[in-house]
Amino acid sequence: TRQCIRADVAGVAPSTLALAATDAEIAVAWVSDGGGAVHFARYSPALVKLSERDCLGVGPARGLALAAVAGGWLLAVGSEAGTRTVPLNPDGSNRGAGSLLPLGVMPMLAARPAGGPLLVGTRGGVVRGAVVDADGALVSAPAVLLTDEVEAGYGSAAWVGDGWLVASRGGRGVGGDLGVLATHVAPDGRAGAPWQPVGAQTEYPQVAFADGAVWLTYASFGGASPGIARVRVDTLGRAIGEVLDLGHIPAYFNPSPMVGVGRDSLILLGAYTGSTGHGRRLEVSRVDDAGRTVVDPYAITAGPELVHSYRIARVGADAVVAWVGSGYPGRVGLAVVSP
């Protein structure tokens, strides 16, 4: 039996993390000890630690997802055995046995205002999704959302008012690349047909919803100047607005998660390094629905370590950012930013 070691012990580096928040609390979970240990901590919006639980007994972990649910939190742990759901009390203690579901590694959880979240997982390039309850039990049968996915772990899922929108990169098409694909999932778990909103040779899709608008950021590598962009889409994933250029290599080319602030977007930018998902630093920018910059990009990390597994979520009127620092032995970072 491997001993679970605290993530902040020198030489034990955290790897991937998951982030969730309510109006009053922030929750973060992360993996350490080579995937053998999962940790959970809660913070106030002022980043005062409320509780921490180390070594949740959930087995090996390749990916994590976290959502706020009725009764506390729901953690999803991806491994070769499948996706294990772990219901947690508000303080992070185990609330029930959970379930082992056939959804694969790299899970995503997308909460909704009322009812259980959507759980998404990938196995063998096939992306499946199912609605689960607050205890992590299946409410709907797993449905195939996308096939021949590439870059598992760099897509996203979000509630969009009439269901969820799940986006990732598809690999089978003209020239071997379909680019970003988006699939709508109804509240009862029924999946629609995938759409190709921004053409081939695109990747890293990130979805956000606020005030009736659905936004998609993505990276495009098909032109002479690869970069990242934002576009408005409908709830089926079809582009319905003008594309906004957010920057190009050598400044930016990474996943750019975001949250809605009214009809504006608060966008998290990872400065380009050439390594997928790793940024030299993290920056935040606010852009309105017409594409005008409301707040210029400003740095929330200063290095020298690279950052990865970065996430952003709304907490009350503000937003919280979480990331893993890639220095030795590594660390988990949190910052609260005002829109």
Side-chain angles (χ1 to χ4, degrees), residues 177-302:
D177 182 79
L178 281 172
V180 170
L181 296 176
T183 302
H184 181 270
V185 181
D188 63 4
R190 290 178 296 115
W195 288 89
Q196 187 186 34
V198 288
Q201 296 182 304
T202 53
E203 60 187 343
Y204 305 154
Q206 301 292 307
V207 180
F209 173 72
D211 200 24
V214 186
W215 301 101
L216 173 74
T217 60
Y218 62 96
S220 176
F221 55 90
S225 181
I228 57 173
R230 186 200 71 165
V231 67
R232 186 175 176 184
V233 297
D234 65 16
T235 60
L236 297 179
R238 301 172 296 192
I240 56 174
E242 297 294 324
V243 173
L244 172 65
D245 186 350
L246 294 172
H248 298 265
I249 293 174
Y252 305 117
F253 193 86
N254 266 313
S256 301
M258 60 185 157
V259 291
V261 181
R263 296 181 71 87
D264 295 359
S265 303
L266 198 63
I267 304 173
L268 186 58
L269 304 166
Y272 177 70
T273 63
S275 177
T276 298
H278 289 70
R280 292 193 313 274
R281 64 183 177 277
L282 290 179
E283 300 175 359
V284 174
S285 178
R286 180 171 176 173
V287 178
D288 71 13
D289 62 346
R292 296 179 294 253
T293 299
V294 179
V295 178
D296 289 328
Y298 63 92
I300 58 173
T301 66

Side-chain angles (χ1 to χ4, degrees), residues 108-110 118 120 155-159 164-167 207:
M108 298 186 288
L109 276 168
L118 179 72
V120 179
S156 66
W159 176 257
W164 293 272
L165 193 62
V166 180
V207 180

Side-chain angles (χ1 to χ4, degrees), residues 38 40 53-59 71-75 77 84-99 134-135:
V38 177
F40 175 91
R53 300 188 67 85
D54 290 296
C55 310
L56 297 177
V58 295
W73 311 92
L74 184 63
L75 179 69
V77 181
R84 180 170 297 280
T85 58
V86 185
L88 303 175
N89 288 310
D91 65 357
S93 59
N94 288 77
R95 183 162 48 86
S99 303
D135 293 323

Side-chain angles (χ1 to χ4, degrees), residues 95-122:
R95 183 162 48 86
S99 303
L100 181 61
L101 305 177
L103 292 175
V105 298
M106 302 302 179
M108 298 186 288
L109 276 168
R112 58 173 155 172
L118 179 72
L119 174 61
V120 179
T122 300

